[in-house]
């Protein structure tokens, strides 16, 4: 999975002063509560050191691992104490602690996703478990969808469970990382050879991320490779509309939808429509030899279709000529593309002088 920058969250730091520590015993609610107090005491000390050290932890990993231990201890205590009337004040205190600490497991996980992905996995395993725990149900905790992309990224980095990666990416589709999750699912299904699922998520990207060009380009390319030219033309028009009205992001890849549309006209033998589409594409996205040569070759195809009508054929060769000259001017090192066609064009137009200039390209 290629690395993508994951946003770092602000630390959610809460100080819990005045809590006493005691020996760590779990045989009864009182002992379990003392364990919580001990972990929170360690936390309080770490926060004090953080503040004294210019808002820098001496060991940031140790802080977040201790947060995880607080969550575990809180859950263990609540499991023992929830039904005991003499513990209700402590229960409320521990629930309050958990409400602030549980989200920090997600916060901490984002800190290590690339540097120590195993730590990220450890923190998020506990985070997801805590969010789902009946002991914390009164807190109405929910895991943001972003956490699943972080989890999938870290799992991939450590060679983790493929099924968990797949499920996490699906959960992340509605997060801010949705386009990236969708792309990773496409890669996963392509490597697996699952063509139906691949096509599903290619179409999903096209439909659900209109502001992103790459998902739409991938979808159009899939349709083109499937020779579904009518569908390419239909959906390319949708993407082109997004580009023209500013819905889609500005991108160096913006020429592809125009190109795929024109190629689809060409491949379905609609050469006049292809020529028009290539011309529009070149005007919108200049400096792409594929578009310039497409405009030229589709015009020459129109000419060959009208070979019995010399005047009409001549007109189409004259239409092709400026694009061939443009290709020569803008892409002088690509003579293998325009050289022979210029010779052919001038030959048909009975311009022997210019044809002779390009005769050397006959053997290209």
């Amino acid at each position: 999975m290629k690395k993508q920058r994951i946003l770092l969250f602000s630390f959610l730091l809460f100080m819990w002063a005045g809590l006493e520590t005691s020996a760590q015993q779990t045989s009864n609610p009182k002992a379990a509560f003392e364990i919580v107090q001990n972990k929170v005491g360690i936390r309080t000390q770490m926060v004090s050191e953080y503040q004294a050290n210019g808002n820098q932890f001496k060991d940031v990993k140790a802080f977040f691992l201790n947060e995880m231990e607080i969550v575990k201890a809180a859950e263990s205590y609540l499991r023992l104490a929830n039904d005991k009337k003499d513990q209700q004040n402590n229960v409320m205190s521990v629930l309050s602690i958990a409400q602030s600490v549980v989200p920090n497991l997600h916060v901490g996980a984002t800190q290590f996703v690339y540097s120590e992905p195993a730590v990220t996995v450890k923190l998020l395993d506990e985070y997801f478990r805590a969010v789902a725990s009946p002991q914390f149900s009164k807190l109405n905790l929910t895991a943001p969808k972003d956490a699943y992309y972080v989890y999938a990224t870290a799992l991939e980095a450590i060679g983790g469970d493929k099924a968990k990666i797949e499920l996490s990416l699906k959960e992340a589709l509605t997060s801010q990382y949705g386009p990236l999750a969708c792309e990773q699912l496409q890669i996963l299904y392509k490597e697996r050879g699952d063509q139906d699922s691949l096509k599903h998520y290619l179409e999903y990207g096209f439909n659900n991320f209109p502001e992103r060009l790459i998902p739409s380009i991938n979808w159009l390319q899939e349709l083109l490779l499937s020779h579904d030219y009518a569908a390419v033309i239909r959906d390319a028009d949708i993407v082109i509309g997004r580009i023209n009205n500013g819905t889609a992001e500005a991108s160096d890849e913006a020429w592809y939808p125009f190109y795929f549309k024109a190629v689809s006209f060409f491949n379905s033998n609609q050469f006049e429509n292809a020529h028009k589409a290539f011309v529009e594409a070149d005007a919108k996205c200049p400096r792409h030899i594929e578009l310039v040569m497409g405009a030229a070759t589709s015009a020459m195809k129109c000419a060959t279709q009208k070979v019995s009508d010399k005047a009409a054929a001549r007109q189409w060769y004259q239409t092709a000529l400026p694009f061939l000259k443009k290709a020569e001017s803008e892409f002088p090192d690509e003579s293998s593309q325009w050289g022979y066609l210029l010779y052919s064009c001038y030959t048909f137009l009975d311009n022997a002088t210019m044809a002779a200039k390009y005769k050397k390209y006959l053997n290209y």
Side-chain angles (χ1 to χ4, degrees):
M1 180 181 297
K2 61 185 180 182
K3 294 183 179 179
Q4 298 291 340
R5 187 172 180 82
I6 293 177
L7 302 179
L8 300 181
F9 293 80
S10 302
F11 291 150
L12 304 176
L13 300 177
F14 296 85
M15 295 183 63
W16 299 90
L19 296 177
E20 298 177 355
T21 62
S22 65
Q24 294 190 3
Q25 300 174 8
T26 58
S27 58
N28 57 61
K30 182 179 178 180
F33 182 65
E34 288 176 348
I35 293 174
V36 177
Q37 289 180 306
N38 178 267
K39 301 296 183 184
V40 173
I42 294 171
R43 180 186 208 258
T44 301
Q45 183 178 350
M46 287 182 171
V47 171
S48 296
E49 292 172 349
Y50 168 85
Q51 294 169 336
N53 194 39
N55 293 337
Q56 294 288 329
F57 282 112
K58 292 182 178 179
D59 187 339
V60 67
K61 181 169 68 173
F63 173 81
F64 284 111
L65 290 178
N66 187 66
E67 298 287 271
M68 184 179 71
E69 292 302 317
I70 291 173
V71 172
K72 288 181 178 180
E75 186 179 23
S76 296
Y77 167 74
L78 292 172
R79 189 177 294 112
L80 293 169
N82 264 331
D83 296 329
K84 296 191 168 40
K85 291 183 179 180
D86 65 333
Q87 291 292 316
Q88 291 312 297
N89 287 338
N90 288 345
V91 165
M92 295 302 295
S93 174
V94 170
L95 281 173
S96 181
I97 292 168
Q99 189 165 34
S100 68
V101 174
V102 171
N104 269 1
L105 303 187
H106 176 205
V107 174
T110 66
Q111 315 299 309
F112 303 102
V113 63
Y114 299 129
S115 61
E116 295 189 64
V119 174
T120 291
V121 170
K122 186 175 183 179
L123 289 170
L124 286 178
D125 277 338
E126 182 60 29
Y127 174 65
F128 292 134
R129 194 190 61 74
V131 167
S133 172
Q135 306 307 323
F136 300 132
S137 60
K138 292 180 181 179
L139 302 179
N140 296 316
L141 299 170
T142 57
K145 297 298 185 179
D146 290 2
Y148 291 97
Y149 187 76
V150 175
Y151 190 53
T153 301
L155 280 171
E156 181 73 22
I158 65 171
D161 189 312
K162 295 295 184 183
K164 285 185 179 180
I165 294 171
E166 181 179 358
L167 289 172
S168 297
L169 288 172
K170 289 179 179 179
E171 288 287 343
L173 285 170
T174 54
S175 75
Q176 65 175 315
Y177 304 112
L180 300 175
C182 188
E183 185 178 347
Q184 294 305 315
L185 283 167
Q186 292 166 15
I187 294 170
L188 185 154
Y189 291 123
K190 184 175 182 179
E191 291 176 347
R192 190 181 295 176
D194 185 346
Q195 188 63 27
D196 289 340
S197 294
L198 170 60
K199 189 168 185 178
H200 170 78
Y201 284 102
L202 285 167
E203 187 171 16
Y204 183 97
F206 166 72
N207 287 325
N208 289 277
F209 308 117
E211 75 285 357
R212 303 289 290 267
L213 271 177
I214 296 302
S216 292
I217 289 170
N218 290 342
W219 171 240
L220 293 175
Q221 187 173 40
E222 170 66 19
L223 292 175
L224 187 63
L225 292 173
S226 300
H227 307 293
D228 194 349
Y229 301 128
V232 176
I233 294 164
R234 178 198 68 213
D235 289 350
D237 275 335
I238 294 173
V239 181
I240 289 168
R242 295 170 182 171
I243 294 170
N244 289 338
N245 67 21
T247 300
E249 62 186 349
S251 169
D252 291 340
E253 290 80 22
W255 68 282
Y256 280 107
F258 295 92
Y259 176 67
F260 291 153
K261 175 184 175 180
V263 167
S264 294
F265 276 129
F266 190 94
N267 288 354
S268 53
N269 298 321
Q270 301 179 61
F271 298 120
E272 289 192 34
N273 285 335
H275 174 72
K276 181 180 178 181
F278 277 120
V279 171
E280 290 175 352
D282 179 53
K284 182 73 176 181
C285 307
R287 300 293 301 175
H288 293 283
I289 192 170
E290 296 88 345
L291 304 180
V292 180
M293 289 302 302
T297 54
S298 54
M300 294 182 76
K301 280 286 189 179
C302 289
T304 59
Q305 283 186 325
K306 299 181 181 297
V307 67
S308 60
D309 184 344
K310 287 193 176 292
R314 183 179 184 86
Q315 184 176 356
W316 276 110
Y317 277 115
Q318 288 174 330
T319 299
L321 188 58
F323 290 97
L324 292 172
K325 294 297 290 180
K326 182 177 183 179
E328 179 186 22
S329 174
E330 293 185 353
F331 309 98
D333 295 332
E334 298 291 341
S335 58
S336 61
Q337 296 198 47
W338 46 257
Y340 175 74
L341 293 182
L342 274 167
Y343 170 79
S344 299
C345 197
Y346 280 123
T347 298
F348 186 89
L349 293 172
D350 299 320
N351 189 332
T353 301
M354 290 303 294
K357 178 181 175 181
Y358 295 97
K359 190 174 182 179
K360 62 183 178 180
Y361 296 111
L362 277 174
N363 296 323
Y364 270 52

